[in-house]
Amino acid sequence: MPENARLQAVEIGDIKVTYLPDGGGIVNPTALYPASDEAGWEKYPELLDAEGQVITTIGGFLIETGDRKIIVDTGIGPVTIPFPGFGPFSGGRYLQSLAESGVAREEVTDVIFTHLHLDHCGWTTVEEEGERRLTFPNARHAVTEAEWAFWHGGDNPAGPDPEAVQKPLAECVEHFEPGEEIAPGVRVLDTPGHTPGHVSLLIEDDGERLILTADTIHGPMQLQEPEWSVAFDIDAETARASREGLYDELTREDTIVAANHFADQVFGRIVVDEDGRMQWEPLEEAA
């Protein structure tokens, strides 16, 4: 049976990338992927639990490059959210995962948001002495301008919390652009659709590559079922175009893929079989 992915890390040259699990979701598959049906899911029994539900991991990443310690997305936070019709999503383990990685909150130099859905910005702040304070007090916090403009000032329950995320970030948030190198060996890829300012990251060093896809791909069956867009895509057509636009890069032999919502193992490779179909191969050597 699939399980939420554990703490795991890979090295890309001298750059270390660690997955920081926070929690996960137990989700009705046809609700999460509205274009799917029960017959379609019969082809993917390995992706379902004993009750026929999808397990979706929730967490973020830590990139250590040079003297930079970069958090990419901050999980969902210490909450359980029912999401009627879909299934519960919960978190709470993120800071423990960070501690297990050997990095203290105060050491983090950057917090980069691939987008601002609630399960990617939940640990932006913590409550201390009755106040909401930035979880990473010494870090630069940054997101694309398009993403910030879309969510700021709103109260969409799928987006950043007005008090715990938007208000604190409004005082310090910075913006980066697609194509920008935000740290040595870390470049922003433009992958809109899931949200208007959604991005992925390309990490390169010493002839090795990793693409952190963020929510461009939610589940490995999307490699064979291109029309199975996730229900939380704001623009499903654009999201699909972004997903398919990455495939030439994701299937390169020198490229590891980091897919943060995959169960069991978030690091792997996407290979093309003899019939031309893309397949997900988990990376067994991830520590």
Side-chain angles (χ1 to χ4, degrees):
M1 291 294 104
E3 298 179 348
N4 290 328
R6 59 179 175 79
L7 183 79
Q8 48 202 250
V10 297
E11 293 185 359
I12 306 299
D14 291 328
I15 302 175
K16 184 177 182 180
V17 183
T18 303
Y19 178 68
L20 304 174
D22 190 25
I26 305 172
V27 192
N28 181 308
T30 57
L32 187 58
Y33 300 93
S36 70
D37 56 29
E38 292 184 6
W41 280 100
E42 291 178 0
K43 295 184 290 183
Y44 308 103
E46 73 280 3
L47 301 179
L48 304 177
D49 68 11
E51 285 71 45
Q53 303 295 287
V54 169
I55 302 300
T56 178
T57 301
I58 295 174
F61 291 88
L62 169 67
I63 301 171
E64 297 175 80
T65 175
D67 61 356
R68 304 276 287 277
K69 300 184 187 302
I70 304 166
I71 288 290
V72 181
D73 296 337
T74 65
I76 196 169
V79 297
T80 295
I81 300 174
F83 270 104
F86 287 88
F89 294 82
S90 62
R93 193 172 180 270
Y94 193 88
L95 295 186
Q96 178 184 342
S97 296
L98 181 66
E100 290 174 3
S101 78
V103 172
R105 290 163 48 192
E106 294 76 14
E107 294 180 274
V108 172
T109 58
D110 305 78
V111 176
I112 300 297
F113 298 103
T114 63
H115 64 297
L116 291 174
H117 270 147
L118 81 166
D119 57 324
H120 290 256
C121 60
W123 285 97
T124 298
T125 60
V126 291
E127 188 169 339
E128 295 178 335
E129 299 177 355
E131 298 180 3
R132 300 301 305 189
R133 297 178 178 172
L134 291 173
T135 303
F136 305 103
N138 301 318
R140 167 200 183 214
H141 291 67
V143 66
T144 63
E145 188 171 4
E147 188 72 6
W148 180 252
F150 180 78
W151 296 105
H152 185 227
D155 59 358
N156 188 318
D161 183 271
E163 292 297 318
V165 179
Q166 294 186 47
K167 185 176 179 180
L169 283 183
E171 301 176 2
C172 65
V173 70
E174 300 179 21
H175 302 304
F176 54 79
E177 296 293 332
E180 182 177 335
E181 186 175 58
I182 55 175
V186 183
R187 187 172 299 278
V188 178
L189 301 178
D190 191 21
T191 51
H194 183 62
T195 63
H198 181 281
V199 299
S200 304
L201 298 178
L202 170 62
I203 300 167
E204 294 183 288
D205 191 49
D206 196 25
E208 301 178 58
R209 296 167 20 117
L210 180 147
I211 295 179
L212 196 162
T213 62
D215 281 14
T216 307
I217 304 176
H218 272 75
M221 72 288 154
Q222 287 182 298
L223 300 172
Q224 286 85 42
E225 311 289 349
E227 72 281 5
W228 285 16
S229 296
V230 73
F232 296 106
D233 284 346
I234 289 173
D235 182 338
E237 184 176 341
T238 300
R240 177 175 174 176
S242 290
R243 182 165 59 251
E244 294 178 346
L246 277 183
Y247 285 158
D248 285 347
E249 297 295 323
L250 297 177
T251 54
R252 282 177 44 165
E253 291 184 0
D254 60 353
T255 301
I256 294 173
V257 177
N260 60 299
H261 285 304
F262 283 20
D264 299 323
Q265 172 63 283
V266 302
F267 295 115
R269 298 185 189 275
I270 296 176
V271 300
V272 181
D273 67 20
E274 59 185 15
D275 296 320
R277 294 174 302 185
M278 289 178 291
Q279 305 286 345
W280 170 251
E281 290 189 353
L283 196 68
E284 295 182 1
E285 62 263 35

